[in-house]
Amino acid sequence: MADTRLVVGDITTAEVDAIVNAANERMLGGGGVDGAIHRAAGPDLLAECRKVPAVNGIRCPTGEARITGAGNLPARYVIHTVGPVYHQVSHPAALLASAYRNSLQLALDNACRSIAFPAISCGVFGYPLEAAAKVALETCAARDYESLNIVFYLFDETTYSAWHRSLSTR
Ligand code: APR
C-alpha cells in the first residue's frame, strides 16, 4: 500500500506535487475546498480552468479528473475532480472511486511522487463519511499507485476519525 497519511488541516498548505480539488463539472470555482484552493492559488488557476475544453459548459464530468498548474500554491499541479452528489446518483460508490482513480492516474501520468486529497463529496455533495473513507482508502491502496505518497487533508476531527477508523480496519 502506498505511504498513506492522514492529517487534520487545510489542503492549500500541502507541500506535495499535486493537490486534488473537489470541484464541480463547470470547473470554474465554488465554495468549500474548491473556494479555498482558488483563493490560495490566485486568479491564474481560474484562467487555466477556463482553457479546459467545455462541452455544454461541462469541463469535468462526474468521476473524471482534469489537471492544471497550481498558481501560487506550494504544489506543481492542481488535479480537479468531481465526486458524485450522493443523493442524486444511483451508483455513488463507483463514481467516487472513479474520481479518486482518475486523479491518481493523472498524478502518475505527470510524474508526481506525492498527492494530497480532500474528503471528496463529503461536504456540499453529502457523501456519508464512513462510506466515503472506505471507498477512498480502498481505491488508493491499489498496487497501481504504490509509487505515490498519498496524504489526506481532512478538515475537521470528525472527518479525520472516519478516515482513521477505516484505515485501522484495512
Ligand atoms: N482543506 C481541506 N478540506 C477542506 C477545506 C480545506 N481548505 N475546505 C473544506 N474542506 C472539506 C470539507 O469540510 C469536506 O470535508 O472538504 C470536504 C469536501 O467538501 P466540499 O468542499 O463541500 O466538496 P464536495 O462535497 O465535493 O462538493 C463539491 O462544492 O465547493 C463546491 O464547487 C464545489 O460544487 C462543488 C461542490
Side-chain angles (χ1 to χ4, degrees):
M1 181 164 177
D3 171 47
T4 298
R5 285 188 305 120
L6 311 177
V7 301
V8 179
D10 177 349
I11 200 168
T12 64
T13 67
E15 300 201 350
V16 291
D17 291 333
I19 289 175
V20 177
N21 181 21
N24 59 55
E25 293 187 332
R26 294 176 64 248
M27 240 183 88
L28 296 179
V33 70
D34 195 2
I37 285 174
H38 275 275
R39 271 193 304 280
D44 289 356
L45 183 60
L46 183 57
E48 283 211 47
C49 289
R50 287 191 193 288
K51 289 181 195 153
V52 174
V55 177
N56 300 327
I58 292 178
R59 287 181 175 79
C60 185
T62 299
E64 294 190 20
R66 301 287 186 269
I67 193 165
T68 66
N72 304 323
L73 286 168
R76 282 166 51 207
Y77 302 107
V78 173
I79 292 175
H80 308 258
T81 193
V82 181
V85 180
Y86 186 69
H87 291 292
Q88 278 183 11
V89 298
S90 46
H91 299 90
L95 281 167
L96 185 62
S98 174
Y100 279 101
R101 214 175 15 255
N102 282 317
S103 299
L104 290 160
Q105 191 55 52
L106 270 180
L108 290 179
D109 295 347
N110 288 274
C112 296
R113 300 192 51 70
S114 56
I115 183 169
F117 280 106
I120 299 166
S121 283
C122 292
V124 164
F125 282 4
Y127 212 111
L129 295 182
E130 305 291 339
K134 187 171 182 304
V135 169
L137 290 163
E138 278 178 0
T139 306
C140 290
R143 285 178 54 80
D144 307 9
Y145 314 119
E146 62 190 8
S147 67
L148 278 171
N149 288 313
I150 300 169
V151 53
F152 284 92
Y153 270 75
L154 306 163
F155 209 42
D156 53 64
E157 290 296 336
T158 308
T159 308
Y160 175 88
S161 304
W163 255 253
H164 189 260
R165 270 193 302 280
S166 188
L167 196 57
S168 317
T169 55
R170 275 198 57 72

